[in-house]
């Protein structure tokens, strides 16, 4: 997993409808439970895309901006990895705070979250 640029996110705002509703919305947008084969993960979800502009990568879902990092928040190496691989691997985990890096894969394997790929577009 270290060779893929991950974007791990949680329900940090504590949406009123909770993790189950967030999970349903993300599933509707094409994210899926942990697949048996990593190759399944690398197939881009059609609703998601990423674009690199001015040294930053923004992720959109169905044409609406989903994530744009504040300047200086994301290491340049991550942005370079997105450009080199042509994708961002999206990982959603339930809860209000992100887990430690080592916990992400273990949580996914237990079925705790969803993931999918946003392909990097040329624009």
């Amino acid at each position: 997993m270290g060779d893929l640029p991950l974007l791990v996110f949680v329900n940090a705002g504590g949406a009123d409808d909770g993790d189950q509703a967030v999970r349903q919305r993300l599933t509707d947008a094409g994210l899926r439970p942990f697949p048996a084969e990593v190759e399944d993960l690398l197939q881009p979800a059609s609703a998601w895309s990423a674009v690199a502009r001015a040294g930053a990568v923004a992720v959109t879902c169905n044409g609406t901006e989903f994530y744009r990092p504040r300047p200086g928040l994301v290491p340049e190496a991550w942005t370079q990895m997105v450009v080199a691989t042509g994708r961002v691997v999206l990982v959603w985990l339930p809860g209000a705070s992100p887990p430690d890096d080592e916990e992400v894969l273990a949580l996914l394997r237990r079925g705790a979250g969803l993931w999918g790929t946003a392909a990097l577009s040329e624009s």
Side-chain angles (χ1 to χ4, degrees):
M1 297 288 302
D3 294 329
L4 295 171
L6 299 179
L7 174 58
V8 178
F9 58 99
V10 295
N11 189 13
D16 295 335
D17 48 6
D19 285 335
Q20 191 58 35
V22 171
R23 182 183 192 95
Q24 185 60 51
R25 283 195 302 274
L26 292 171
T27 298
D28 292 346
L31 298 188
R32 299 287 177 248
F34 190 78
E37 300 293 327
V38 173
E39 290 76 29
D40 295 342
L41 161 73
L42 300 179
Q43 297 302 316
S46 61
W48 297 85
S49 64
V51 64
R53 286 193 191 121
V57 173
V59 176
T60 63
C61 180
N62 291 319
T64 302
E65 189 171 280
F66 178 80
Y67 173 79
R68 178 181 299 275
R70 294 185 315 270
L73 179 67
V74 176
E76 187 176 328
W78 184 85
T79 302
Q80 290 171 349
M81 189 182 305
V82 170
V83 172
T85 63
R87 64 187 48 127
V88 175
V89 177
L90 307 162
V91 177
W92 172 78
L93 294 167
S97 59
D100 293 335
D101 291 344
E102 299 82 34
E103 295 176 304
V104 170
L105 192 55
L107 288 167
L108 285 170
R109 285 186 174 142
R110 287 195 304 251
L114 302 169
W115 68 349
T117 296
L120 186 65
S121 67
E122 297 294 321
S123 50

